[in-house]
């Protein structure tokens, strides 16, 4: 079960990053390429949590988003066609003295079937590079919105 930890510095505040992370409207794929608009279903959204199904390329997951602590946002996988167990994402934000924010993203991927286990193995090998690039693009897109 791969756990991939990524770190990225941004000029966006934690509040701006969380606003992008929890924007489930059209154009989400501009911020998160693995979340195609046609696959996005918001089951419920409240002030500090949401229940959302998203994905792309035949891979989907239903996530429970919890942003009750703006410094520590947790996305827990509730259901998926490939991911199970402890799968999910955790974002931790640290404000820096120079006004920037350090974003720490932890991605846990536990395959629940053959396809998920194969993808998990691939992510274990290539995850830091592939997911690191995706996080960098997300940070750039959120900075452009801010």
């Amino acid at each position: 079960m791969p756990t991939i930890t990524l770190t990225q510095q941004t000029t966006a505040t934690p509040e701006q990053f969380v606003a992008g992370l929890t924007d489930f409207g059209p154009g989400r794929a501009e911020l998160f390429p693995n979340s195609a608009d046609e696959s996005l279903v918001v089951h419920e959204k409240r002030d500090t949590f949401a229940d959302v199904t998203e994905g792309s390329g035949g891979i989907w997951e239903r996530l429970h988003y919890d942003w009750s602590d703006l410094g520590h946002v947790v996305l827990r996988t509730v259901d998926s066609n490939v991911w199970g167990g402890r799968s999910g994402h955790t974002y931790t934000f640290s404000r820096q003295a120079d006004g920037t924010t350090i974003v720490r993203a932890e991605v846990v991927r536990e395959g629940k079937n053959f396809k998920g286990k194969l993808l998990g193995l691939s992510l274990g090998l290539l995850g830091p590079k592939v997911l690191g690039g995706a996080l960098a693009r997300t940070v750039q897109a959120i900075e452009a919105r801010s």
Side-chain angles (χ1 to χ4, degrees):
M1 169 180 56
T3 299
I4 298 131
T5 303
L6 309 164
T7 304
Q8 182 76 39
Q9 190 167 14
T10 178
T11 58
T13 66
E15 293 81 7
Q16 290 168 327
F17 198 94
V18 172
L21 187 62
T22 59
D23 179 353
F24 303 109
R28 182 165 176 77
E30 294 170 15
L31 298 178
F32 301 95
N34 291 331
S35 184
D37 287 349
E38 62 272 8
S39 300
L40 185 66
V41 178
V42 179
H43 304 282
E44 182 178 14
K45 183 178 180 193
R46 300 282 175 102
D47 291 341
T48 60
F49 75 89
D51 182 19
V52 179
T53 298
E54 56 190 314
S56 68
I59 298 172
W60 61 268
E61 65 184 317
R62 186 169 181 168
L63 293 158
H64 176 82
Y65 282 71
D66 177 353
W67 62 93
S68 55
D69 174 358
L70 291 178
H72 185 81
V73 178
V74 178
L75 290 64
R76 183 176 47 84
T77 303
V78 176
D79 192 16
S80 173
N81 63 334
V82 294
W83 308 121
R86 296 185 317 122
S87 294
H89 314 256
T90 303
Y91 292 87
T92 305
F93 307 100
S94 302
R95 293 179 195 267
Q96 303 300 296
D98 64 1
T100 63
T101 301
I102 300 294
V103 178
R104 181 178 181 269
E106 183 178 274
V107 181
V108 176
R109 288 299 185 217
E110 186 173 338
K112 75 176 196 179
N113 52 31
F114 180 73
K115 183 177 182 178
K117 290 177 182 176
L118 189 60
L119 286 169
L121 180 63
S122 297
L123 280 175
L125 299 171
L126 303 172
K129 182 174 182 168
V130 172
L131 297 179
L135 179 61
R137 287 187 298 279
T138 294
V139 164
Q140 289 174 342
I142 289 174
E143 287 175 347
R145 291 176 73 181
S146 303

